[in-house]
Amino acid sequence: MNKLNNKGQSLVMFVVILPVIIMILMMVVDIGKMVNLKSELDNINYIAISYGLDNISDDDIQDKIRKLIYKNKLGIDEVKIEIDDGEVDITLVDGIDLILLKESNILRVRSSYRGIISDEKKIIERNR
């Protein structure tokens, strides 16, 4: 019987499959970075709205909220704060650098929350 040597074939398959595995791993890292940034922005937004609702009667509350946001995370691309009739709306937008597309800042993560005081309780919910 002839015994075939499959070492060369295995090496070729490894070389063909390796780039695919590396790209999948890089995509997983990019998605993880995106989920982490979204969670970070949501937490900052929640803290800022809670602070805004506690101090809504202050004259310069928007500036104080903005300082609180930048104290927690520098370099947020966009901060939008609206205070109207006891309601606080905050939208935070930040970009993320991808591993696969290093030169472009394609992915922008958005966190938007709204808070009101109803029956002496703070209600903070995600904006749609």
Side-chain angles (χ1 to χ4, degrees):
M1 287 225 182
N2 290 341
K3 289 189 176 184
L4 298 176
N5 188 354
N6 292 334
K7 289 182 182 179
Q9 184 180 8
S10 298
L11 180 63
V12 169
M13 287 303 292
F14 178 73
V15 169
V16 169
I17 299 295
L18 185 64
V20 174
I21 292 172
I22 290 173
M23 284 187 60
I24 290 171
L25 288 174
M26 290 182 356
M27 286 173 44
V28 167
V29 169
D30 282 343
I31 291 170
K33 286 171 61 175
M34 179 190 67
V35 169
N36 186 39
L37 179 61
K38 174 71 173 157
S39 175
E40 187 177 4
L41 290 179
D42 285 348
N43 289 336
I44 292 169
N45 211 339
Y46 193 89
I47 291 168
I49 287 183
S50 181
Y51 176 80
L53 290 173
D54 289 341
N55 302 296
I56 201 161
S57 60
D58 289 359
D59 291 335
D60 57 346
I61 188 62
Q62 281 193 356
D63 291 334
K64 289 180 179 178
I65 292 173
R66 193 173 303 274
K67 285 179 185 176
L68 177 67
I69 290 169
Y70 284 122
K71 185 177 181 182
N72 282 285
K73 180 159 176 59
L74 290 175
I76 294 178
D77 292 344
E78 181 182 332
V79 176
K80 183 179 175 186
I81 302 169
E82 294 179 11
I83 299 175
D84 189 31
D85 294 333
E87 184 176 313
V88 178
D89 288 327
I90 299 177
T91 301
L92 305 175
V93 179
D94 200 4
I96 189 167
D97 293 327
L98 301 175
I99 294 174
L100 289 175
L101 302 171
K102 197 68 169 169
E103 297 301 318
S104 62
N105 195 359
I106 295 177
L107 190 58
R108 298 180 55 77
V109 178
R110 181 176 183 266
S111 172
S112 183
Y113 278 84
R114 169 182 166 262
I116 59 171
I117 295 179
S118 176
D119 298 328
E120 308 227 357
K121 291 183 182 178
K122 284 190 266 186
I123 299 173
I124 301 173
E125 57 191 18
R126 181 172 284 149
N127 266 347
R128 303 262 179 236

